[in-house]
Amino acid sequence: MSVVDRPIASPVSPEADSYPTHHFLNHSKGFLSWALTLDHKRIGLMYLVGVMASFALGGLFALMIRIHLWNFKDGWLSNQTYNQVFTLHGAIMVFLFIIPSVPAALGNFLLPIMLGTKDVAFPRLNLSSFYLWVTGLVLFLTALSVTGLDTGWTFYTPYSIETSQGGAVLAATFGVFVLGFSSIFTGLNFIVTINTMRPPGMTWFRMPLFLWAVYATSIIQVLATPVLGITVLLLSAERLLGIGIFDPKLNGDPVTFQHFFWFYSHPAVYIMILPAMGIISELMSVHCHKGIFGYRMIAYSSIAIALFGFLVWGHHMFTSGMADVTAVVFSALTFTVSIPSAIKVFNWLGTMYQGTVSLNTPMLYALAFIFLFTIGGLTGLPLGALSTDMHFHDTYFVVAHFHYVMMGGTLVAFLGGVFHWWPKMTGRMFNDKLGMVSAIIVFIGFNMTFLPQFVLGSRGMPRRYATYLPEFQPLHQLSTIGSLTLGAGLFLALVVLLLSLVNGKKAPRNPWGGATLEWMCSSPPPHDNFSSAPTVGDPYDFSDIEYDGRVGSYVKRS
Amino acid sequence: MTAIQETHSTTDHHHGDDHHHDHPSWLAHHFDDAEQQYDSGKLGMWLFLVTEVLFFSGMFCAYALYRNRNPEVFEFCSSFLNEKLGAINTGVLLFSSLTMAWAVRAAQLRQHQLLVGMLGATLGCAAIFLGVKSVEYSHKWELGLLPGKFYVAQLEGHHGPHKGYLEMLCAVPALITFLLAAYAVYAWATKSIFHQRVAGPLLTAGICFFGGVLLGQYLEAQEEASKSHGGHHEHHAMAQGHVDHDSHEHAAASDTHTHDHGAPAVPEVSPAVAMGGSPDVYVASEEVNTPKAEVNQRSMAGLFFSIYYCMTGVHAIHILGGMLVISWLIIKAAREEFHEQYFGPVDNVGLYWHLVDFIWIYLFPLLYLIT
Ligand code: HEM
Ligand SMILES: [Cu+2]
């Protein structure tokens, strides 16, 4: 494996690579031309801004939690406020950030271009998904400011029925309901687009793996989210009308709530991770300049994950009371889902083997992803095993596990993807050196924050507690320092991106040497994506793509 | 007619806006041809229907769980539902599915008048359905057959019927019908064929709602009469307002026995009142010995009515949604927009309507019939 430093950020004169004078960003002007746009690229960008802002908000809450936990008692938040802060942190991160992050932001921008079409199948539905997302955001902010939501992001009954913060529970569950429909419509749109709108030549197995991943994700979004919808609807009916279905006082069953909730929320973790895996498949092959290893296995494993993911929700409830046989079956099924995930990891490593690795910002994030996701996935196994889960359940071990997969996995891949496609989306190159520094800080900060939490959890530190035993203090403090480092790294990443808008060099058509269709249209793409129908080839054939120093871009050898 | 024929041939051949010169106006610019557009819409609708089925499946699950746990509650409570009204509504919805399917065919054959008529008939059926449903709901509310913690039928403190629920439910439809009537007058005054075609079916649907209400009231009164013939159930139900302390205690005690899964026996909810010595008219004579007191309380019958209102309520909301999109179709149909190349909207709304109908086909036996 050799590392080649390619001059990706070399200056580009506009005439050399025909920097477009007319593109989707300046196609029309004014606030309304964005607010009412039906262009998937603009909708994608609006989502990108939205989810990043939500991430910043959720991140602030996270830092509040970590700072509170610096001392083992008498932190700066009251116990009540602490509960509200971790609830909002979780709910915002899950429902407002991570679920829409890759599919709705990057997916919206990329899917039609990668597929070679003008737009998604239902552009109006696409815009309404975005506004549903905004409505959800408003409802969450209401829950935040009017009263404090303190149920945890899981809204477990009977607490969510009894808590005095009733208005907040109503606002938040209604918000989740609306966000659910936003997600369903996005998924529906993508499935239809991929099924019916592929141009001639774009067969299923010529689709970039990112699209396979988004397709699998969409299937989960369409099949799982309605169940969450009815669950939160029944929960709000519980608060409004006291229907009692989940209320033990009225002969209802709170464990039924947990079943309903996790029937959605376990598949939802694959809504979060699958598109991230899709990003990594693209990044790995493009930045190694080598065809992806095991294309079909990666494609099939995405679908396998999507389907198996529906059968394992019970592993969140091993301690809630369920029949022994059921528990064993859920445990066994849980192990089977890790197989397709492992297949993907092996394939990415196989792609790097003997590749020509360009070590740049997107690639660094991709490498960080593989490392962190592997840890996250492997620590899922002790949680899926019945005996060990009795010990680990509701401890910091679980917290560390899901942060390794959600943050170390999805967020890091999302950032990698944003850096990778940033030149395409904005037409600007960012400062690669600074970007790499941000990736390294994020990687170090992340491990410093969450590795200690595995140790804390296995020693018995319960999750969601505002105070803890004095002997846990050193590890908690290490974690807090790590979180501040992590925050600094993420902030740097944001600065790098924003700086590029101010003084970034104009981006060439194909800065990294990709072979998928989006690199064939200009950066940024024109309003209709392609002036004439693109010729579809193998998305991972790099043999005829080479760097041309004169235009500062990769070009197809003719 | 000729004028309209002309409009439609212009829409047909008039080429879409700006730069897509091969695109007729009914073909969205990002689709290649009519077939692709139709296939996309169809697949999208089927996927949406899948989500709808899953959405309802949560409630069907809840139904199965609680029925399995307390079958006696479901048996007892379903006798409060009037099968006649349920059956009428089933028939109405089935008929509306027929008219909807016919509408699709009319759209394909460019039978514009017939299309408007069929859509109007579907809309009218939906309105009748809601009218009958309003009678059912308001009647139950009067009896105190409310969901969960509001369930008060025959419990302590529930004093007789509180009238006026039906009027409440009718207020908004009355307002809408009034506005539609004004619109119809405007349409006929201005002699606009388009407005007449829209106003006609919409106003009819508004009137159909009240037809449904009358029909429901008539049947409900009939049922009442036959019941009171057997044992004055209305009086019986309401006269139990006062607590007989012995049976009170007794009911509460036997209560705890039925809670097999450890849920506490309703602490702050007042326990059930025994139904007294006279045989209850709601249960068949061989069931006279059923321990009704244990069933007739918030955590039992209340839960049944929670499930009943959730399922039928969400279904009714879907009927309302369907009425909105059918009205939108009527407007499009009055403009004669549909033809053999472009009838996807009618077809897809039709699919949706059949699903809503289909769900009712399950709800009716599960809630009303199985005892
Ligand atoms: C590789 C396969 C994985 C396995 C075997 C696995 C297993 C588990 C198990 C058994 C639990 C429950 C632990 C407990 O509460 O006692 C759990 C919790 C969790 N996992 Fe995973 N997991 C895997 C991958 C993922 C991925 C990819 C994500 C998200 C991107 C994820 C997100 C979560 C979350 C959010 C929770 C905790 C939810 C909560 O209680 O608040 N997991 N995991
Ligand atoms: Cu799970």
Side-chain angles (χ1 to χ4, degrees), chain A residues 153-154 262 269-270 272-273 315-316 334 338 341 373 377 380-381 383-384 389 393-394 398 401-402 405-406 410 463-464:
Chain A
W153 77 278
T154 48
W262 288 112
V269 310
Y270 295 107
M272 306 171 195
I273 199 70
H315 65 212
H316 295 273
T334 300
S338 51
S341 313
F373 173 73
L381 298 177
L383 292 174
D389 186 58
H393 178 68
D394 264 352
V398 177
H401 155 70
F402 69 69
V405 273
M406 288 162 64
T410 308
R463 67 191 280 200
R464 294 181 175 171

Tab-separated table of all heavy atoms in Angstrom, chain A residues 153-154 262 269-270 272-273 315-316 334 338 341 373 377 380-381 383-384 389 393-394 398 401-402 405-406 410 463-464, ligand 1:
chain	number	residue	atom	x	y	z
A	153	TRP	N	-34.922	9.966	25.734
A	153	TRP	CA	-35.400	10.014	24.339
A	153	TRP	C	-36.322	8.852	24.041
A	153	TRP	O	-36.995	8.845	23.019
A	153	TRP	CB	-34.223	10.028	23.366
A	153	TRP	CG	-33.549	8.701	23.148
A	153	TRP	CD1	-32.600	8.141	23.954
A	153	TRP	CD2	-33.760	7.777	22.078
A	153	TRP	NE1	-32.212	6.931	23.445
A	153	TRP	CE2	-32.899	6.676	22.286
A	153	TRP	CE3	-34.573	7.767	20.946
A	153	TRP	CZ2	-32.840	5.587	21.432
A	153	TRP	CZ3	-34.507	6.667	20.095
A	153	TRP	CH2	-33.657	5.598	20.333
A	154	THR	N	-36.401	7.863	24.948
A	154	THR	CA	-37.197	6.675	24.686
A	154	THR	C	-38.648	6.805	25.148
A	154	THR	O	-39.449	5.922	24.874
A	154	THR	CB	-36.570	5.475	25.385
A	154	THR	OG1	-36.271	5.858	26.736
A	154	THR	CG2	-35.281	5.064	24.720
A	262	TRP	N	-39.295	-0.195	20.331
A	262	TRP	CA	-38.061	-0.762	19.769
A	262	TRP	C	-38.307	-1.452	18.446
A	262	TRP	O	-37.368	-1.673	17.685
A	262	TRP	CB	-37.395	-1.701	20.778
A	262	TRP	CG	-36.796	-0.921	21.909
A	262	TRP	CD1	-37.199	-0.915	23.210
A	262	TRP	CD2	-35.701	-0.003	21.833
A	262	TRP	NE1	-36.433	-0.058	23.949
A	262	TRP	CE2	-35.504	0.514	23.124
A	262	TRP	CE3	-34.873	0.440	20.799
A	262	TRP	CZ2	-34.513	1.444	23.420
A	262	TRP	CZ3	-33.889	1.369	21.092
A	262	TRP	CH2	-33.726	1.859	22.382
A	269	VAL	N	-31.701	2.236	14.136
A	269	VAL	CA	-30.242	2.363	14.224
A	269	VAL	C	-29.615	1.983	12.888
A	269	VAL	O	-28.540	2.465	12.547
A	269	VAL	CB	-29.621	1.561	15.386
A	269	VAL	CG1	-30.323	1.831	16.691
A	269	VAL	CG2	-29.526	0.091	15.098
A	270	TYR	N	-30.305	1.150	12.113
A	270	TYR	CA	-29.764	0.857	10.778
A	270	TYR	C	-30.112	1.956	9.799
A	270	TYR	O	-29.418	2.134	8.798
A	270	TYR	CB	-30.223	-0.521	10.313
A	270	TYR	CG	-29.629	-1.562	11.215
A	270	TYR	CD1	-30.389	-2.243	12.147
A	270	TYR	CD2	-28.252	-1.788	11.201
A	270	TYR	CE1	-29.815	-3.134	13.020
A	270	TYR	CE2	-27.672	-2.677	12.071
A	270	TYR	CZ	-28.455	-3.355	12.986
A	270	TYR	OH	-27.884	-4.212	13.859
A	272	MET	N	-29.665	4.814	10.664
A	272	MET	CA	-28.536	5.714	10.922
A	272	MET	C	-27.255	5.183	10.294
A	272	MET	O	-26.473	5.940	9.728
A	272	MET	CB	-28.321	5.848	12.423
A	272	MET	CG	-29.553	6.266	13.180
A	272	MET	SD	-29.245	6.125	14.938
A	272	MET	CE	-30.895	6.210	15.573
A	273	ILE	N	-27.003	3.874	10.394
A	273	ILE	CA	-25.671	3.404	10.032
A	273	ILE	C	-25.571	3.024	8.561
A	273	ILE	O	-24.519	3.185	7.948
A	273	ILE	CB	-25.239	2.234	10.948
A	273	ILE	CG1	-23.717	2.057	10.900
A	273	ILE	CG2	-25.911	0.943	10.558
A	273	ILE	CD1	-22.964	3.141	11.542
A	315	HIS	N	-33.681	-7.234	21.911
A	315	HIS	CA	-32.453	-7.175	22.710
A	315	HIS	C	-32.360	-5.914	23.559
A	315	HIS	O	-31.465	-5.813	24.386
A	315	HIS	CB	-31.196	-7.376	21.850
A	315	HIS	CG	-30.931	-6.303	20.840
A	315	HIS	ND1	-30.333	-6.562	19.636
A	315	HIS	CD2	-31.182	-4.980	20.837
A	315	HIS	CE1	-30.217	-5.443	18.950
A	315	HIS	NE2	-30.726	-4.472	19.664
A	316	HIS	N	-33.268	-4.981	23.363
A	316	HIS	CA	-33.273	-3.814	24.255
A	316	HIS	C	-34.068	-4.072	25.518
A	316	HIS	O	-34.134	-3.220	26.389
A	316	HIS	CB	-33.854	-2.605	23.525
A	316	HIS	CG	-33.013	-2.159	22.380
A	316	HIS	ND1	-31.979	-1.266	22.538
A	316	HIS	CD2	-33.010	-2.511	21.077
A	316	HIS	CE1	-31.389	-1.080	21.367
A	316	HIS	NE2	-31.995	-1.831	20.474
A	334	THR	N	-29.698	-11.393	17.141
A	334	THR	CA	-28.828	-10.226	17.250
A	334	THR	C	-27.431	-10.549	16.729
A	334	THR	O	-26.811	-9.742	16.043
A	334	THR	CB	-28.762	-9.764	18.712
A	334	THR	OG1	-30.075	-9.426	19.139
A	334	THR	CG2	-27.867	-8.552	18.855
A	338	SER	N	-24.734	-9.021	13.044
A	338	SER	CA	-23.381	-8.478	13.000
A	338	SER	C	-22.605	-9.072	11.827
A	338	SER	O	-21.588	-8.526	11.425
A	338	SER	CB	-22.669	-8.733	14.318
A	338	SER	OG	-22.768	-10.085	14.657
A	341	SER	N	-22.527	-6.770	8.797
A	341	SER	CA	-21.703	-5.598	9.117
A	341	SER	C	-20.226	-5.958	8.990
A	341	SER	O	-19.430	-5.185	8.445
A	341	SER	CB	-21.969	-5.108	10.539
A	341	SER	OG	-23.338	-5.029	10.776
A	373	PHE	N	-16.185	2.230	14.162
A	373	PHE	CA	-17.367	1.397	13.964
A	373	PHE	C	-17.085	-0.040	14.366
A	373	PHE	O	-17.952	-0.725	14.934
A	373	PHE	CB	-17.838	1.437	12.503
A	373	PHE	CG	-18.949	0.472	12.252
A	373	PHE	CD1	-20.217	0.731	12.740
A	373	PHE	CD2	-18.724	-0.721	11.581
A	373	PHE	CE1	-21.238	-0.175	12.552
A	373	PHE	CE2	-19.745	-1.640	11.395
A	373	PHE	CZ	-21.005	-1.364	11.877
A	377	GLY	N	-19.344	-1.998	16.903
A	377	GLY	CA	-20.051	-3.214	16.529
A	377	GLY	C	-19.670	-4.381	17.427
A	377	GLY	O	-20.530	-5.141	17.877
A	380	GLY	N	-21.277	-4.455	20.679
A	380	GLY	CA	-22.690	-4.831	20.647
A	380	GLY	C	-22.875	-6.296	20.998
A	380	GLY	O	-23.929	-6.680	21.520
A	381	LEU	N	-21.865	-7.104	20.723
A	381	LEU	CA	-22.033	-8.536	20.962
A	381	LEU	C	-22.188	-8.887	22.443
A	381	LEU	O	-23.108	-9.630	22.797
A	381	LEU	CB	-20.891	-9.309	20.308
A	381	LEU	CG	-20.864	-9.113	18.783
A	381	LEU	CD1	-19.701	-9.828	18.152
A	381	LEU	CD2	-22.170	-9.583	18.169
A	383	LEU	N	-23.427	-7.079	24.546
A	383	LEU	CA	-24.745	-6.585	24.942
A	383	LEU	C	-25.845	-7.492	24.435
A	383	LEU	O	-26.925	-7.569	25.015
A	383	LEU	CB	-24.966	-5.173	24.387
A	383	LEU	CG	-24.095	-4.088	24.991
A	383	LEU	CD1	-24.308	-2.777	24.259
A	383	LEU	CD2	-24.430	-3.924	26.451
A	384	GLY	N	-25.571	-8.177	23.335
A	384	GLY	CA	-26.587	-9.065	22.788
A	384	GLY	C	-26.580	-10.434	23.459
A	384	GLY	O	-27.500	-11.223	23.270
A	389	ASP	N	-25.467	-9.063	29.254
A	389	ASP	CA	-26.321	-7.881	29.183
A	389	ASP	C	-27.001	-7.599	30.523
A	389	ASP	O	-27.274	-6.440	30.849
A	389	ASP	CB	-27.375	-8.019	28.089
A	389	ASP	CG	-28.167	-6.728	27.912
A	389	ASP	OD1	-27.522	-5.702	27.637
A	389	ASP	OD2	-29.390	-6.739	28.073
A	393	HIS	N	-26.641	-3.805	30.985
A	393	HIS	CA	-27.818	-3.032	30.606
A	393	HIS	C	-27.944	-1.767	31.460
A	393	HIS	O	-27.722	-1.808	32.667
A	393	HIS	CB	-29.085	-3.870	30.758
A	393	HIS	CG	-30.328	-3.105	30.437
A	393	HIS	ND1	-30.617	-2.688	29.171
A	393	HIS	CD2	-31.325	-2.661	31.225
A	393	HIS	CE1	-31.750	-2.020	29.190
A	393	HIS	NE2	-32.202	-1.982	30.421
A	394	ASP	N	-28.306	-0.672	30.789
A	394	ASP	CA	-28.467	0.607	31.484
A	394	ASP	C	-27.233	1.072	32.224
A	394	ASP	O	-27.331	1.773	33.238
A	394	ASP	CB	-29.664	0.559	32.445
A	394	ASP	CG	-30.917	1.128	31.787
A	394	ASP	OD1	-30.787	1.672	30.665
A	394	ASP	OD2	-32.001	1.035	32.382
A	398	VAL	N	-23.392	0.614	27.660
A	398	VAL	CA	-24.331	0.808	26.557
A	398	VAL	C	-24.128	2.191	25.943
A	398	VAL	O	-24.126	2.362	24.720
A	398	VAL	CB	-25.783	0.634	27.044
A	398	VAL	CG1	-26.761	0.902	25.922
A	398	VAL	CG2	-26.000	-0.736	27.612
A	401	HIS	N	-21.141	2.024	23.824
A	401	HIS	CA	-21.433	1.235	22.610
A	401	HIS	C	-22.145	2.080	21.567
A	401	HIS	O	-21.717	2.181	20.423
A	401	HIS	CB	-22.285	0.019	22.970
A	401	HIS	CG	-23.108	-0.499	21.824
A	401	HIS	ND1	-22.558	-1.121	20.739
A	401	HIS	CD2	-24.450	-0.458	21.577
A	401	HIS	CE1	-23.509	-1.450	19.885
A	401	HIS	NE2	-24.671	-1.048	20.368
A	402	PHE	N	-23.231	2.701	21.972
A	402	PHE	CA	-23.985	3.356	20.898
A	402	PHE	C	-23.349	4.660	20.457
A	402	PHE	O	-23.564	5.097	19.335
A	402	PHE	CB	-25.481	3.452	21.199
A	402	PHE	CG	-25.938	4.359	22.291
A	402	PHE	CD1	-25.861	5.717	22.173
A	402	PHE	CD2	-26.516	3.823	23.437
A	402	PHE	CE1	-26.332	6.545	23.169
A	402	PHE	CE2	-26.982	4.641	24.435
A	402	PHE	CZ	-26.889	6.010	24.312
A	405	VAL	N	-20.997	3.520	17.665
A	405	VAL	CA	-21.627	3.286	16.370
A	405	VAL	C	-22.284	4.535	15.811
A	405	VAL	O	-22.207	4.806	14.613
A	405	VAL	CB	-22.646	2.131	16.405
A	405	VAL	CG1	-21.969	0.815	16.154
A	405	VAL	CG2	-23.425	2.106	17.675
A	406	MET	N	-22.938	5.320	16.684
A	406	MET	CA	-23.663	6.464	16.136
A	406	MET	C	-22.756	7.646	15.871
A	406	MET	O	-22.815	8.264	14.811
A	406	MET	CB	-24.802	6.859	17.075
A	406	MET	CG	-25.927	5.841	17.021
A	406	MET	SD	-27.086	5.871	18.366
A	406	MET	CE	-27.862	7.405	18.282
A	410	THR	N	-21.708	6.906	12.359
A	410	THR	CA	-22.482	7.739	11.443
A	410	THR	C	-21.958	9.165	11.357
A	410	THR	O	-21.770	9.691	10.264
A	410	THR	CB	-23.952	7.755	11.881
A	410	THR	OG1	-24.371	6.423	12.039
A	410	THR	CG2	-24.800	8.450	10.859
A	463	ARG	N	-26.292	4.539	33.653
A	463	ARG	CA	-26.484	5.684	32.763
A	463	ARG	C	-27.578	6.590	33.321
A	463	ARG	O	-28.374	6.187	34.158
A	463	ARG	CB	-26.852	5.206	31.360
A	463	ARG	CG	-28.197	4.546	31.273
A	463	ARG	CD	-28.416	3.861	29.934
A	463	ARG	NE	-28.808	4.797	28.886
A	463	ARG	CZ	-29.426	4.422	27.761
A	463	ARG	NH1	-29.713	3.152	27.552
A	463	ARG	NH2	-29.739	5.302	26.859
A	464	ARG	N	-27.606	7.829	32.833
A	464	ARG	CA	-28.643	8.807	33.173
A	464	ARG	C	-28.646	9.208	34.641
A	464	ARG	O	-29.677	9.607	35.163
A	464	ARG	CB	-30.039	8.278	32.794
A	464	ARG	CG	-30.220	8.130	31.297
A	464	ARG	CD	-31.593	7.634	30.946
A	464	ARG	NE	-31.755	7.633	29.471
A	464	ARG	CZ	-32.782	7.105	28.837
A	464	ARG	NH1	-33.753	6.547	29.508
A	464	ARG	NH2	-32.851	7.137	27.527
C	1	HEM	C1	-23.118	-4.616	15.100
C	1	HEM	C2	-24.194	-4.903	15.591
C	1	HEM	C3	-24.850	-4.351	16.845
C	1	HEM	C4	-25.216	-5.098	17.903
C	1	HEM	C5	-24.990	-6.585	18.060
C	1	HEM	C6	-25.860	-4.223	18.855
C	1	HEM	C7	-26.402	-4.628	20.061
C	1	HEM	C8	-27.017	-3.800	20.970
C	1	HEM	C9	-27.685	-4.222	22.152
C	1	HEM	C10	-27.843	-5.670	22.593
C	1	HEM	C11	-28.161	-3.140	22.819
C	1	HEM	C12	-28.984	-3.082	24.095
C	1	HEM	C13	-28.127	-2.930	25.267
C	1	HEM	C14	-28.905	-2.684	26.510
C	1	HEM	O1	-29.683	-1.737	26.578
C	1	HEM	O2	-28.685	-3.449	27.468
C	1	HEM	C15	-27.792	-2.006	22.034
C	1	HEM	C16	-28.094	-0.705	22.364
C	1	HEM	C17	-28.011	0.342	21.478
C	1	HEM	N1	-27.457	0.292	20.225
C	1	HEM	FE1	-26.577	-1.318	19.361
C	1	HEM	N2	-25.872	-2.955	18.381
C	1	HEM	C18	-25.273	-2.984	17.137
C	1	HEM	C19	-25.107	-1.912	16.290
C	1	HEM	C20	-25.626	-0.661	16.529
C	1	HEM	C21	-25.631	0.402	15.581
C	1	HEM	C22	-25.070	0.318	14.191
C	1	HEM	C23	-26.224	1.471	16.177
C	1	HEM	C24	-26.507	2.868	15.658
C	1	HEM	C25	-25.987	3.450	14.677
C	1	HEM	C26	-26.605	1.075	17.508
C	1	HEM	C27	-27.246	1.896	18.407
C	1	HEM	C28	-27.650	1.518	19.656
C	1	HEM	C29	-28.332	2.381	20.572
C	1	HEM	C30	-28.759	3.821	20.299
C	1	HEM	C31	-28.545	1.657	21.734
C	1	HEM	C32	-29.132	2.123	23.047
C	1	HEM	C33	-30.491	2.644	23.034
C	1	HEM	C34	-30.916	3.131	24.409
C	1	HEM	O3	-31.142	2.316	25.289
C	1	HEM	O4	-31.052	4.357	24.584
C	1	HEM	N3	-26.217	-0.229	17.693
C	1	HEM	N4	-27.090	-2.422	20.900
